[in-house]
Amino acid sequence: MPDALIDEFLCAMPLPALLVDQSERIIGANPEALTLLGQQIVGRHFATILRQPPVTDAIETILRDKRPREAQHLANDGAQDTTFRVTFRYVNGIGAVKGGAVLVSFLDVSHLGQAEQMRRDFVANVSHELRTPLTALMGFIETLRGAARDDADARDRFLSIMDGEANRMNRLVGDLISLNRVESEERVRPSEDVNLTQQIESTLRSMRPLADEAGVTLHMTAPDDPVIVTGDPDQLQQVCTNLIENAIKYGGAGGRVDVVLSISDREPALRAPGARIQVIDQGAGIDPIHLPRLTERFYRADSHRSRELGGTGLGLAIVKHIINRHRGRLRVESNLGQGSVFTVILPRKTEQN
Ligand SMILES: Nc1ncnc2c1ncn2[C@@H]1O[C@H](COP(=O)(O)OP(=O)(O)OP(=O)(O)O)[C@@H](O)[C@H]1O
Ligand SMILES: [Mg+2]
């Protein structure tokens, strides 16, 4: 039986941990290990508790050769799977234990698996998004070489469709590069002074042709004094452009888009002076079930319509990362048939800060 010192040591460990001695019995376990493996494990043969072959093999071997090793242990609490990296270390003669023992500790590494799954999903999505226009391009190349070879009208028509598809691939690659850059810079605080008032005015000017084409009028409301934040001007421009473009593309049916810039002395969410940019449309709105996932990469509320309009589904993912980098917040309020309000809250530069 283990002495009090061993118990003290096991209890001080921040991970589930237990000891197996040369008689192959579990001679001590901390409360974390009892929670993981069951309350009645001390005194039992280890193989009746730890049944997974990689773990039992490792214990048997280390009891003989005393060399450290690792193995994986999968647990399921009925609701979800947890993956542990199990570490085995031999401890020579401790306290009253004769002949040494194996310290077995469990590190939960499930989050690594989730990150891996996200990476796989991302690659699958990118491949799918690239393949669709690529398949179209290859089809048209084949037709142009064959059936449409001498048909000038068809050739022009196909070339213009091909142009559209190539542009779509180009936009997707551009957005991916942009997302990558924003993600890699997310921990670097931006440092320039940005005049949001001016920036929104210039974004609205550049959006005018798109708005005219969609039959949408653009309106801006702003405080008299310029609103200044500390930020990255290109990235904040990207935020405004995507939100206003979305409002025109997806909410344009309402005929008008409002951009409202305002300030507050103390923004509750930031506990600091804030600047708010609200992009408001009167269009079809978004079903609230989509809202929690809207800023995920490639997530679209209406994928058919978004693809038709040439969207890549990356815009709001980029927006979210940029706002995070600026220590700001993004809020989306919408209901079907009632338009949408996208609110960006940024910490505002004042004389004090
Ligand atoms: N104002 C809006 N009204 C209705 N739906 C919207 C609005 N803004 C965004 N959405 C929905 O959210 C989805 C995600 O928007 P996001 O900007 O991330 O992608 P996108 O516009 O499709 O592509 P990209 O911005 O890369 O061109 C859109 O596909 C659309 O379904
Ligand atoms: Mg967009």
Side-chain angles (χ1 to χ4, degrees):
M1 274 295 110
D3 54 31
L5 185 64
I6 294 176
D7 264 353
E8 292 270 326
F9 261 108
L10 285 174
C11 286
M13 286 192 58
L15 306 171
L18 53 85
L19 268 178
V20 177
D21 73 357
Q22 284 290 355
S23 72
E24 304 193 341
R25 292 190 182 277
I26 298 173
I27 57 166
N30 64 9
E32 287 84 354
L34 300 182
T35 308
L36 177 65
L37 300 164
Q39 295 299 321
Q40 311 297 330
I41 63 172
V42 176
R44 305 265 299 269
H45 191 279
F46 75 82
T48 62
I49 306 297
L50 297 161
R51 292 162 195 267
Q52 293 172 21
V55 175
T56 52
D57 289 354
I59 299 179
E60 277 163 18
T61 326
I62 191 175
L63 282 172
R64 271 185 274 114
D65 71 8
K66 305 184 181 175
R67 285 224 281 274
R69 41 182 44 82
E70 285 184 354
Q72 231 183 46
H73 172 85
L74 301 170
N76 185 298
D77 63 2
Q80 66 178 36
D81 290 328
T82 313
T83 310
F84 289 93
R85 185 188 299 144
V86 192
T87 307
F88 308 88
R89 292 276 189 280
Y90 198 80
V91 194
N92 278 309
I94 25 167
V97 181
K98 293 211 179 61
V102 184
L103 176 67
V104 184
S105 56
F106 298 77
L107 178 67
D108 184 347
V109 291
S110 312
H111 60 283
L112 297 179
Q114 281 159 7
E116 183 56 23
Q117 183 61 40
M118 274 173 71
R119 192 192 63 77
R120 277 198 297 268
D121 288 350
F122 182 65
V123 172
N125 273 322
V126 171
S127 318
H128 175 78
E129 297 287 337
L130 281 172
R131 175 162 253 178
T132 312
L134 190 59
T135 308
L137 279 175
M138 286 163 69
F140 284 117
I141 290 172
E142 182 137 337
T143 317
L144 283 173
R145 279 196 171 138
R149 196 183 188 103
D150 302 315
D151 182 341
D153 281 352
R155 208 163 49 216
D156 284 348
R157 202 154 28 86
F158 292 164
L159 280 172
S160 109
I161 303 174
M162 288 168 76
D163 187 38
E165 297 293 339
N167 271 318
R168 183 191 171 82
M169 288 179 79
N170 196 28
R171 253 197 323 271
L172 178 61
V173 173
D175 275 358
L176 285 170
I177 292 172
S178 181
L179 183 63
N180 204 33
R181 212 194 70 208
V182 176
E183 276 185 326
S184 64
E185 285 177 351
E186 196 164 321
R187 288 173 200 290
V188 186
R189 286 291 286 276
S191 58
E192 286 175 61
D193 281 1
V194 182
N195 182 331
L196 280 184
T197 316
Q198 249 175 25
Q199 195 161 56
I200 293 172
E201 277 164 1
S202 92
T203 311
L204 285 173
R205 261 197 306 280
S206 68
M207 287 283 147
R208 195 135 291 146
L210 185 72
D212 287 346
E213 204 180 312
V216 175
T217 54
L218 302 174
H219 306 265
M220 175 175 175
T221 319
D224 292 337
D225 293 331
V227 177
I228 314 286
V229 295
T230 306
D232 179 318
D234 291 341
Q235 290 191 340
L236 291 177
Q237 173 95 40
Q238 226 174 332
V239 169
C240 295
T241 304
N242 185 57
L243 294 182
I244 298 171
E245 186 183 295
N246 281 354
I248 298 171
K249 277 200 307 194
Y250 307 113
R256 71 178 281 162
V257 168
D258 285 89
V259 182
V260 179
L261 177 61
S262 60
I263 56 170
S264 70
D265 288 336
R266 195 182 141 82
E267 190 61 60
L270 307 177
R271 293 201 213 102
R276 279 178 178 235
I277 309 166
Q278 293 193 292
V279 180
I280 306 163
D281 70 62
Q282 316 292 331
I286 305 164
D287 190 324
I289 58 163
H290 295 299
L291 295 183
R293 298 192 58 194
L294 213 57
T295 57
E296 282 177 23
R297 302 151 168 183
F298 296 117
Y299 193 87
R300 299 167 170 106
D302 177 347
S303 53
H304 181 68
R305 187 164 158 68
S306 160
R307 284 209 175 83
E308 200 178 82
L309 294 171
T312 64
L314 290 174
L316 287 175
I318 295 173
V319 163
K320 190 191 72 180
H321 281 289
I322 294 176
I323 295 174
N324 284 349
R325 182 180 174 216
H326 287 76
R327 311 274 155 100
R329 300 280 187 282
L330 174 69
R331 300 232 171 93
V332 188
E333 292 152 281
S334 188
N335 263 309
L336 277 179
Q338 294 175 16
S340 309
V341 182
F342 285 75
T343 306
V344 178
I345 307 171
L346 296 168
R348 183 166 53 90
K349 196 173 163 73
T350 60
E351 260 106 63
Q352 284 84 47
N353 62 15

